[in-house]
Amino acid sequence: LTASAYKPLAAYFVKFLQAYKERGIPLYAITPQNEPFNPVETYPGMSFSALDEASFITNYLGPALKNATLAPKILIYDQNWDRPDYPLEILNDPTAQRYVSGTAWHCYAGDPSMMTKIHQAYPSKDMYVTECSTGQGGIAPLSAIEFFLRSTQHWAKAVVLWNIALDISGGPKIGEGCGGCTGLVAIDQATGQFTYTDNYYHLGHLSKFVVPGAYHIASTITRASFPYDSPPEEVAFQNPDGSKVVIVYNPSSWSDTFKIRWNTHHSFVYTLPSKGIVTFKWAGKLPSPLITTMWGRKDHTSWFRLIRWFLSLLALAASLFSIPQHRDPSPLNHRFTFRGESFSAQARSPPAL
């Protein structure tokens, strides 16, 4: 982008935001450029160096938004975890930094731990993962549940999947668009049939139980006696009403038995099948958590199938409530000798989701 185009681009952002606001849609955040290292020719894209983005934000975008009394969050970078040098270069500029609310990331390369490194350097700047296409046919090296758990464990305030609904070829697209990107719902436009993808069910493990205003709370995993090197992955949250949510994923090829403990004296044991996902939710100080599982992937193309699916869930829920639970006065950091994992929730104050 030539320097002479910076001012018109900033004015375009202002008009864009104003148009949405006039229609009752105030936009939460913007990024100056999608994937600045990816100047593709098959859909809109552009190279934008960190130095140039910092200059654009400092001298044009930030002042233009302020003069128009618009206050969307400005998120920098908007590409993969493998180039933390890009957001760091902008955040190291004190003039640009004052306009920046956080960093936007994509999931296609690198490791989510990079977000923790940026957070440690600039704890007041939030992390958002603004794009990830996972699941069968997706282009990310992670499954959706791995993406959710690892991102939120590394300070992501929000995670966004590509896309809500697409046709069976991944469209509609601008030009060639994204090859291999998948949606939560796949729609066959010829027949009108639709299918919920794996991503739909993976997302439900968080979005159905972790509500707006929730906080990510610290959780620890204690390695016990395992015959393999793939322990469960987990993340914990506290909702505004005080309820706790723990999501656990078993990446191994074996079933795992583990214990979840909280409040120093409440605990229960659960066995999770290979590749299984489970969400536990309990309210306040209730000693018995509400246990919810979402295992399968189904195609709800008729009321009959929907009713059958609902009845199956009722039967599953009835069986889950028979899981034995007990109190254990052992301290939170106690190492259990049974085969499995131990989780303990301890409060901290990371950013709200």
Side-chain angles (χ1 to χ4, degrees):
L1 185 67
T2 60
S4 62
Y6 284 11
K7 186 175 181 179
L9 180 59
Y12 176 85
F13 269 99
V14 168
K15 292 181 179 180
F16 174 84
L17 292 163
Q18 288 173 334
Y20 272 87
K21 185 177 181 180
E22 289 170 359
R23 288 159 178 78
I25 309 173
L27 296 186
Y28 177 78
I30 57 174
T31 62
Q33 177 60 41
N34 174 63
E35 297 189 344
F37 290 120
N38 190 22
V40 295
E41 297 180 356
T42 56
Y43 57 87
M46 180 181 72
S47 293
F48 211 21
S49 71
L51 181 63
D52 289 342
E53 184 164 301
S55 175
F56 173 63
I57 292 170
T58 300
N59 300 309
Y60 298 94
L61 182 60
L65 295 176
K66 183 178 180 180
N67 291 337
T69 63
L70 295 168
K73 295 180 182 294
I74 297 177
L75 307 181
I76 56 175
Y77 184 40
D78 211 11
Q79 201 162 345
N80 297 321
W81 292 314
D82 60 343
R83 291 297 302 269
D85 56 299
Y86 189 107
L88 281 174
E89 184 174 345
I90 298 176
L91 293 172
N92 288 339
D93 181 335
T95 307
Q97 185 195 135
R98 66 181 181 177
Y99 291 110
V100 173
S101 296
T103 303
W105 304 87
H106 295 182
C107 70
Y108 306 116
D111 189 271
S113 62
M114 289 298 104
M115 294 188 292
T116 292
K117 292 185 177 181
I118 302 295
H119 168 78
Q120 290 171 342
Y122 294 96
S124 65
K125 304 301 181 183
D126 293 327
M127 303 292 130
Y128 299 81
V129 187
T130 53
E131 181 188 317
C132 191
S133 174
T134 68
Q136 295 180 353
I139 60 177
L142 303 172
S143 67
I145 193 63
E146 290 171 326
F147 162 60
F148 297 142
L149 299 186
R150 296 174 191 179
S151 295
T152 51
Q153 284 283 31
H154 288 287
W155 295 94
K157 195 170 183 178
V159 292
V160 180
L161 284 177
W162 179 309
N163 202 308
I164 293 178
L166 299 173
D167 62 30
I168 56 177
S169 63
K173 302 177 180 180
I174 299 175
E176 294 183 14
C178 177
C181 286
T182 56
L184 300 180
V185 181
I187 302 172
D188 187 333
Q189 297 190 74
T191 65
Q193 300 291 309
F194 64 91
T195 303
Y196 294 129
T197 68
D198 291 342
N199 287 355
Y200 175 89
Y201 292 98
H202 288 200
L203 178 61
H205 275 282
L206 279 83
S207 63
K208 185 177 177 63
F209 305 102
V210 182
V211 304
Y215 277 81
H216 172 209
I217 57 176
S219 54
T220 58
I221 183 168
T222 303
R223 185 68 180 267
S225 55
F226 276 90
Y228 46 87
D229 294 321
S230 299
E233 298 186 36
E234 48 72 37
V235 69
F237 300 91
Q238 179 170 310
N239 286 319
D241 65 359
S243 61
K244 311 295 191 303
V245 178
V246 176
I247 302 98
V248 186
Y249 166 60
N250 177 13
S252 74
S253 300
W254 294 268
S255 294
D256 273 339
T257 298
F258 53 84
K259 176 181 284 189
I260 291 183
R261 310 183 69 243
W262 72 99
N263 287 350
T264 72
H265 58 277
H266 293 148
S267 66
F268 61 90
V269 175
Y270 190 83
T271 298
L272 186 59
S274 169
K275 310 303 179 184
I277 309 167
V278 61
T279 296
F280 304 97
K281 180 179 180 180
W282 60 96
K285 297 181 179 180
L286 291 178
S288 300
L290 172 63
I291 301 172
T292 306
T293 57
M294 300 169 67
W295 301 113
R297 175 164 59 91
K298 297 182 182 294
D299 181 5
H300 309 305
T301 56
S302 69
W303 281 106
F304 174 78
R305 290 182 179 178
L306 181 61
I307 293 171
R308 185 173 62 182
W309 174 75
F310 179 72
L311 292 176
S312 298
L313 280 182
L314 288 179
L316 178 60
S319 66
L320 288 175
F321 279 110
S322 66
I323 294 175
Q325 301 169 19
H326 62 278
R327 295 174 180 266
D328 189 336
S330 305
L332 282 175
N333 61 357
H334 181 73
R335 284 183 175 271
F336 299 98
T337 57
F338 61 84
R339 178 177 175 274
E341 295 286 332
S342 165
F343 301 88
S344 58
Q346 301 170 350
R348 64 169 174 162
S349 55
L353 289 177

